[in-house]
Amino acid sequence: MKDWSISFAGCGFMGIYYLGAISCILERFPRFIEGASKIYGCSAGALMAAILTLGIPLGECLVSSLLPKDVPFKNYTGNKQILPEDAHVRASGRLCVSLTRVPDGKNLIVSEFSSRNDLIEVYFTHLPCPQRYVDGAASDNLPRCNENNTVTFSAYAGESDICPRGSILNFHEVRFNNVSIQVNSENVYRVTSTFFPPAPEAMAEICNSGYMDALRFLKENSKNIICL
């Protein structure tokens, strides 16, 4: 694969799964991230995409994920000490976030940012204009997932490239705006955890699961990855 992109599905508080997955990839094959031409994301996935493109240390993001529940993750990451002053310059053209246009429900991918504040509005509030746009999960929760050169991440067991392993005996699946979700009890828990943050111990387990699932992906695709 000479040219590839990465896409992260929206998953709310399950975003801690991505921290585990990405820590594994950065540790074992950082070129997979460094060489990606585009990094797409929706909602919590857009936050992960921004973290990667801007080089924000994953350790700081992990700490913020374990803060008291009344301290939003987006506020901590948007702190001036964390977000580079030239963030909009570094993000433009590579970071791509999924938004939903309010009047007609159409999806929009934003990849150009005129200022640092513009970037913060798009990536951390998902509301560049409250009257015109809302979270992209309402229209496309896994942008560009159907393109052959896009490697997809999801915190739910399904057909994404990097995701929890589902049951091979379960053939029931639903799709939520392009995200494949297998119907089983484990995914019911994950979907619930999307909206209601798990306890710190459970979040640590989710993070570790992300690490192990990414490791499995790297091993199963070792021949293709060598060609990157």
Side-chain angles (χ1 to χ4, degrees), residues 154-167:
S154 172
Y156 314 109
E159 297 181 354
S160 297
D161 295 306
I162 297 178
C163 67
R165 175 157 286 178
S167 170

Side-chain angles (χ1 to χ4, degrees), residues 126-139:
H126 311 292
L127 295 172
C129 177
Q131 289 75 36
R132 296 178 59 193
Y133 299 102
V134 294
D135 199 305
S139 55

Side-chain angles (χ1 to χ4, degrees), residues 25-46:
I25 292 174
L26 290 177
E27 175 186 313
R28 296 170 181 270
F29 194 70
R31 175 162 160 66
F32 178 77
I33 303 298
E34 297 165 358
S37 59
K38 303 281 186 181
I39 303 182
Y40 295 90
C42 178
S43 193

